[in-house]
């Protein structure tokens, strides 16, 4: 188990709703707890607590420099920031994909970047899969979480394949 912890860093979706309702806050907290508890064996977690008020791209880069993970898993805004990383094996859940993110991608990066997208991120999926061969879209899911696709993620970080 311990080997796996440092092998993979996991960056959960930060809480970005301005003036949230109690319900929004609650559903966010519940989702984060489920992801962290049910997926704790996948790696070292970074949650909103770690990232709040920080530059996410910078935070992720520092964590990578500190731990040298084989894989990173990133969700939401963290996935958007992680998409720009070169020569880092990564699993991204719902990154926002701009055309600029698709230029000058090495073969190593193409083969070792996996993207999972829910229904609300169809356009990002469309862009992503023009460059990256490992892309999955879940049209029936409008709020994809790490827990939902845990088995696929586990397979990727253990074998490099889904």
């Amino acid at each position: 188990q311990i080997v796996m912890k440092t092998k993979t860093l996991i960056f959960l979706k930060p809480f970005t709703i301005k003036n949230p309702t109690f319900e929004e806050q609650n559903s966010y907290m519940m989702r984060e707890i489920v992801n962290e508890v049910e997926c704790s064996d996948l790696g070292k977690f970074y949650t909103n607590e770690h990232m709040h008020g920080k530059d996410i791209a910078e935070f992720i880069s520092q964590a990578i420099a500190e731990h040298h993970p084989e894989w990173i898993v990133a969700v939401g805004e963290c996935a958007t920031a992680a998409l720009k990383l070169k020569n880092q094996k990564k699993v991204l859940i719902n990154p926002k994909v701009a055309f600029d993110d698709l230029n000058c991608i090495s073969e190593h990066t193409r083969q070792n970047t996996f993207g999972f997208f829910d229904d609300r991120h169809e356009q990002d999926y469309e862009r992503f899969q023009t460059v990256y061969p490992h892309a999955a879209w879940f049209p029936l899911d409008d709020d994809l979480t790490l827990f939902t696709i845990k088995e696929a993620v586990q397979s990727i970080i253990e074998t490099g394949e889904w």
Side-chain angles (χ1 to χ4, degrees):
Q1 275 315 24
I2 292 165
V3 175
M4 227 169 146
K5 284 254 183 263
T6 49
K7 185 180 144 180
T8 307
L9 300 183
I10 298 162
F11 301 91
L12 290 181
K13 184 179 175 171
F15 189 70
T16 52
I17 302 169
K18 303 263 182 269
N19 307 317
T21 65
F22 176 71
E23 221 161 80
E24 286 170 327
Q25 244 169 331
N26 225 14
S27 90
Y28 172 84
M29 290 301 293
M30 288 310 297
R31 186 169 58 235
E32 197 167 65
I33 289 165
V34 166
N35 280 315
E36 220 177 333
V37 170
E38 296 296 336
C39 304
S40 63
D41 55 338
L42 291 178
K44 177 174 172 46
F45 273 81
Y46 293 96
T47 62
N48 190 60
E49 220 171 275
H50 303 98
M51 294 181 271
H52 184 73
K54 296 184 178 133
D55 178 297
I56 289 175
E58 214 171 279
F59 180 83
I60 292 173
S61 293
Q62 284 169 346
I64 289 170
E66 194 179 321
H67 296 284
H68 308 286
E70 185 181 343
W71 286 92
I72 65 164
V73 177
V75 185
E77 289 79 355
C78 290
T80 303
L83 179 59
K84 296 169 174 42
L85 297 169
K86 307 276 188 237
N87 302 317
Q88 172 65 58
K89 294 179 174 183
K90 51 194 175 286
V91 177
L92 308 175
I93 301 172
N94 289 327
K96 287 203 180 351
V97 182
F99 288 112
D100 288 353
D101 298 329
L102 305 175
N103 299 329
C104 307
I105 308 295
S106 74
E107 192 55 25
H108 176 273
T109 300
R110 279 185 66 235
Q111 293 303 330
N112 292 290
T113 301
F114 291 75
F116 292 86
F117 299 83
D118 63 25
D119 197 43
R120 291 181 307 171
H121 295 82
E122 184 179 2
Q123 196 176 27
D124 298 299
Y125 163 74
E126 298 287 349
R127 288 181 190 156
F128 184 88
Q129 56 101 34
T130 60
V131 171
Y132 295 98
H134 308 296
W137 180 48
F138 294 80
L140 300 178
D141 197 326
D142 67 355
D143 192 11
L144 197 60
T145 68
L146 177 58
F147 177 53
T148 318
I149 56 169
K150 179 184 180 186
E151 282 165 19
V153 172
Q154 198 155 14
S155 169
I156 292 165
I157 61 182
E158 284 172 10
T159 69
E161 295 172 7
W162 51 16

